[in-house]
Amino acid sequence: MLKFGLLGAGRIGYTHAVAINALSNASIAAVFDPVDEAAARIQDMSGASRASVDDIMADGAIDAVIIATPTNLHADQIEMAARAGKAIFCEKPIDLDVKRVRACLDVVAETNTQLMVGFNRRFDANFVNVRKQINNGAIGTVEMVQITSRDPSPPPVEYIKVSGGLFRDMMIHDFDMARFLLGEEITEVSATGSVLVDPAIGEAGDVDSAVATLKTASGKIAIISNSRRATYGYDQRVEVHGSKGMVCAENMRSTTVTVANEQGYTAEPLMDFFMERYAEAYKNELGCFVKSVLENNTITPDGNDGLKALELADAALISLQTGETVTLT
Ligand SMILES: NC(=O)c1ccc[n+]([C@@H]2O[C@H](COP(=O)([O-])OP(=O)(O)OC[C@H]3O[C@@H](n4cnc5c(N)ncnc54)[C@H](O)[C@@H]3O)[C@@H](O)[C@H]2O)c1
């Protein structure tokens, strides 16, 4: 039985608590959130006690922590938990600054801590199956990957201002997915972006529509297309082209019902947003973390995966600003 301390009980913290609650081999033992109702909601659902961050770190009966706090707190809380001997599940990104991430990962390594970073899409049944088809040789050698990721609507501009920008906040998931599907490290990044959705996003210094082209040392290519708006719902597709074929994952809908008449074909809208679309992935992710810690297995995606995705995001931002292709070593 793995006992968790939960730090941060907002949108994603609550989702993770629900996932842990459904497991027979894990429980939320304690929760801290400065917002009383947020912590109380977890207490009511799981029977967790309310504790301070220091209490959670000092409690020897707590084996692991879930860090679901705002991004600027992640690195400090990872270091605290690592020094306290806890296994760590931390939401993406580890930090918005690569140097800070590296310093934090040094502490994780020194303390020999098990750390998973919340790239939930690696646990989505569709994308897992795409990777499995690649591993089984169904499409031969991977040559080109295409990732389409469009949010239904942009977040509030106040969020955009502290988010780290589209590449670090949104496309970071797609950078990780590109690495997951290419199976090789990316060595070249070029990116472009525009403000097409909301001028306020541009005034906040960000873009809301962007494309990144990635290349590995052996010449494999990935193209990522992001938009902060898709009128038809949360658009999440991948396609991988290989030497012997192609494998793709289409969008998910709540049912597969299609109506056909003289106006054409009508289907259900796409699943609304990440909380609905990736609900099962979040459960699989925490289930995998718990199993890995209990069985002392290697954890993936780990801190290095978090760092690599952030390095790609930074490279994309430099490419957007300079118009040049950025080489990574
Ligand atoms: N993997 C994903 O799909 C995904 C989705 C959403 C958010 N996230 C990440 O999760 C993190 C949280 O995002 P969110 O949308 O849940 O935000 P949120 O604002 O809904 O929740 C954050 C919670 O942390 C609490 N908090 C603030 N300071 C705290 C502290 N010192 N200790 C403990 N709790 C504290 C806040 O009161 C709030 O309840 C962000 O880093 C975000 O990037 C990841």
Side-chain angles (χ1 to χ4, degrees):
M1 180 65 122
L2 200 71
K3 291 199 170 159
F4 279 94
L6 173 65
L7 310 182
R11 273 189 316 178
I12 206 74
Y14 182 78
T15 303
H16 293 325
V18 169
I20 296 296
N21 240 16
L23 296 173
S24 57
N25 55 356
S27 65
I28 304 285
V31 55
F32 174 72
D33 193 298
V35 175
D36 200 54
E37 311 85 78
R41 196 159 69 126
I42 302 293
Q43 187 177 32
D44 292 347
M45 178 186 66
S46 64
S49 63
R50 306 271 291 273
S52 68
V53 174
D54 287 341
D55 289 342
I56 289 173
M57 297 301 171
D59 187 342
I62 292 180
D63 312 293
V65 292
I66 293 172
I67 299 175
T69 50
T71 298
N72 63 321
L73 299 175
H74 292 181
D76 287 350
Q77 290 178 336
I78 287 176
E79 289 179 359
M80 280 174 87
R83 292 196 169 107
K86 316 287 184 208
I88 303 165
F89 175 89
C90 182
E91 260 312 331
K92 50 56 62 179
I94 296 173
D95 194 84
L96 296 174
D97 179 63
V98 162
K99 276 194 199 137
R100 183 71 191 92
V101 173
R102 289 204 183 106
C104 176
L105 295 184
D106 284 346
V107 176
V108 170
E110 280 158 24
T111 50
N112 206 13
T113 299
Q114 286 177 293
L115 167 68
M116 180 184 273
V117 175
F119 287 128
N120 53 294
R121 293 183 196 175
R122 288 194 187 214
F123 300 89
D124 173 73
N126 296 306
F127 304 148
V128 166
N129 194 275
V130 168
R131 183 67 250 178
K132 200 189 267 178
Q133 298 299 333
I134 295 169
N135 290 350
N136 292 346
I139 62 159
T141 308
V142 171
E143 293 174 350
M144 294 178 81
V145 170
Q146 257 172 272
I147 301 172
T148 303
S149 179
R150 300 183 185 128
D151 288 353
S153 55
V157 171
E158 288 317 306
Y159 173 86
I160 297 268
K161 285 180 187 163
V162 295
S163 69
L166 179 143
F167 295 113
R168 293 192 192 103
D169 176 55
M170 180 177 174
M171 201 180 281
I172 196 155
H173 279 291
D174 306 300
F175 290 127
D176 183 66
M177 187 49 55
R179 290 181 65 244
F180 180 63
L181 296 175
L182 286 167
E184 272 181 24
E185 288 305 341
I186 291 148
T187 53
E188 274 180 37
V189 178
S190 29
T192 188
S194 292
V195 179
L196 302 173
V197 176
D198 183 356
I201 294 177
E203 282 154 27
D206 200 3
V207 293
D208 53 36
S209 311
V211 172
T213 308
L214 319 173
K215 207 183 211 185
T216 69
S218 74
K220 294 177 184 180
I221 295 168
I223 298 166
I224 301 170
S225 170
N226 273 185
S227 172
R228 290 281 194 187
R229 177 198 55 211
T231 54
Y232 48 92
Y234 191 35
D235 192 359
Q236 299 284 289
R237 288 169 286 149
V238 307
E239 182 183 297
V240 185
H241 178 254
S243 56
K244 292 187 181 161
M246 187 274 286
V247 54
C248 65
E250 295 294 347
N251 275 313
M252 301 268 287
R253 299 162 200 269
S254 52
T255 75
T256 59
V257 173
T258 304
V259 176
N261 56 28
E262 60 191 7
Q263 272 88 45
Y265 282 73
T266 316
E268 298 264 0
L270 303 185
M271 281 187 170
D272 178 48
F273 206 3
F274 61 90
M275 299 290 264
E276 185 185 3
R277 169 66 182 80
Y278 290 118
E280 287 306 308
Y282 291 125
K283 287 183 195 155
N284 296 340
E285 176 180 60
L286 262 299
C288 177
F289 176 78
V290 168
K291 190 169 183 294
S292 300
V293 174
L294 288 175
E295 296 176 4
N296 205 18
N297 294 335
T298 306
I299 287 189
T300 313
D302 64 7
N304 186 53
D305 294 307
L307 175 64
K308 290 282 181 198
L310 187 64
E311 285 173 345
L312 292 170
D314 284 1
L317 186 58
I318 293 169
S319 177
L320 170 73
Q321 289 163 344
T322 62
E324 311 262 321
T325 296
V326 175
T327 305
L328 292 127
T329 45

